[in-house]
Amino acid sequence: MLKPIVAGNWKMNKTPKEGNSFISEVLEILSKIDNVNIIFCPPFTGLSNLDISAPFYLGAQNCFYKDHGAYTGEISLSMLIECKVDYVIIGHSERRHMFYEDDKLIGKKVFNVINAGLKPILCIGETLDQKNHGKTFNIIEQQLIKGLISVKSLDNITIAYEPVWAIGTGLTASSEKINEMHSFIRKILTKLYSNFNIDSVPILYGGSVNSENASEIILINGVNGFLIGGASLDIIKFTDIVKIVNEQ
Ligand code: PGA
C-alpha cells in the first residue's frame, strides 16, 4: 500500500528563521509519526541548513529547467539538490495563472526534475470557468498529457489534483467529485502508461484542506494524501492533519 503524503506549500510565507523554528516544532510534535511522508515546501530562502530525515522531506515550490546561466530570478535543480530537496512542486495553479506558466513549460520542468533524480509533484486542476463550461475532464487530461509528455516512467511522479476554485477559498470539492476525479486521473495515466502499475502513483488532493475536513477526504478511495496551503502555516492545524492521516 502507498504511504500517504502530506505536503505543506508555504507559498510566499515565513522568513528562513520563522520557517526553521516552525519545522523544529513540527518535528518535535510529530516525532512518533511513521505512516505518513511529510514534505515541507518553504520559499527558496528557507531551504538550506535544515537537518531533517525520513519521514520528513524538503520540497521546492518551483524550479527552472536550465542548470545555470543568465536567467534572472530563477533557481536550478543543482541548487535545490545541494539544499537536500527531494520534491519539487511543478505547475501549481498560482504559477500557471499568476506567472503564466503553460503546459509546455511545465512539461519541460517535470522532465528535468526527473532527470535530476528529484520527484516532481505535478499540480493539475480546472478553474471555476472551465468547470462551469463542462471542460474539467478535458483540461485534466490535457494537463496530464502535456505535463508528462517527456516522462518515460511514472516511478518518481506524484500528482496533486487541486481544483483552482477550491484553492484558498474555503471551498472543497464534494467527496463524490474528488473520488470521480482521482479515478479519472488514474484512468488517463493507465491509458498513457499501460505497462506501469498506476496504483503506485500517489495522487494528492489539494484545495482548502484543513483539520476539519481532512478525516473525510483522506478516506476517499484514490486519495493518497494532501497538498496543503493555508493550513500548513499553522503548527496545530498542520500537525493535526498529519496525525489524522497517520491514523488511517
Ligand atoms: P489551500 O492551498 O490549502 O490554501 O487551499 C492549496 C495549494 O495551493 O496547494
Side-chain angles (χ1 to χ4, degrees):
M1 209 182 107
L2 269 181
K3 191 166 177 183
I5 292 172
V6 174
N9 173 12
W10 297 0
K11 309 189 180 184
M12 199 175 72
N13 292 292
K14 297 195 191 295
T15 65
K17 254 193 210 159
E18 289 166 349
N20 254 308
S21 64
F22 181 94
I23 290 178
S24 313
E25 272 192 66
V26 171
L27 295 189
E28 234 180 272
I29 297 173
L30 298 180
S31 61
K32 300 214 161 56
I33 295 291
D34 47 13
N35 286 330
V36 187
N37 286 333
I38 299 140
I39 309 170
F40 300 105
C41 304
F44 295 137
T45 50
L47 283 170
S48 58
N49 299 321
L50 288 168
D51 190 18
I52 61 175
S53 54
F56 299 95
Y57 299 90
L58 272 184
Q61 298 174 18
N62 185 25
C63 69
F64 197 48
Y65 62 87
K66 298 275 190 179
D67 196 53
H68 58 269
Y71 304 104
T72 303
E74 295 298 330
I75 196 139
S76 76
L77 285 153
S78 52
M79 295 169 192
L80 296 178
I81 288 168
E82 208 169 297
C83 294
K84 303 198 176 76
V85 162
D86 283 294
Y87 290 85
V88 188
I89 298 173
I90 300 290
H92 187 277
S93 80
E94 284 145 24
R95 299 296 321 166
R96 290 179 189 264
H97 301 293
M98 297 166 91
F99 301 99
Y100 309 110
E101 292 198 6
D102 60 14
D103 284 318
K104 195 169 167 206
L105 177 63
I106 289 164
K108 279 189 190 175
K109 290 185 176 190
V110 169
F111 175 71
N112 280 276
V113 172
I114 299 256
N115 255 5
L118 301 187
K119 300 175 180 179
I121 300 176
L122 172 61
C123 298
I124 56 175
E126 78 284 2
T127 63
L128 187 59
D129 190 56
Q130 289 161 342
K131 171 176 166 308
N132 290 343
H133 285 87
K135 293 183 181 160
T136 298
F137 291 108
N138 186 261
I139 290 293
I140 295 300
E141 179 166 8
Q142 287 308 309
Q143 289 178 341
L144 281 171
I145 292 173
K146 293 177 183 160
L148 298 172
I149 191 148
S150 306
V151 173
K152 299 249 159 10
S153 157
L154 295 176
D155 269 335
N156 284 328
I157 295 274
T158 298
I159 305 288
Y161 171 60
E162 301 200 293
V164 179
W165 48 270
I167 295 178
T169 58
L171 303 170
T172 40
S174 68
S175 296
E176 294 71 33
K177 193 68 199 166
I178 296 174
N179 175 250
E180 185 183 21
M181 293 314 300
H182 281 233
S183 310
F184 178 73
I185 292 164
R186 270 190 216 286
K187 198 176 98 188
I188 300 300
L189 294 178
T190 308
K191 205 162 83 178
L192 297 175
Y193 297 88
S194 51
N195 294 325
F196 196 85
N197 173 18
I198 302 301
D199 289 341
S200 67
V201 180
I203 305 179
L204 314 182
Y205 175 77
S208 298
V209 173
N210 56 42
S211 36
E212 275 88 57
N213 59 25
S215 44
E216 182 179 338
I217 304 176
I218 197 62
L219 290 179
I220 300 171
N221 197 17
V223 173
N224 306 114
F226 299 128
L227 180 55
I228 304 169
S232 74
L233 298 172
D234 181 287
I235 300 240
I236 301 296
K237 289 182 187 157
F238 184 66
T239 53
D240 278 355
I241 295 171
V242 173
K243 287 179 200 164
I244 289 167
V245 174
N246 190 56
E247 277 153 25
Q248 297 317 309

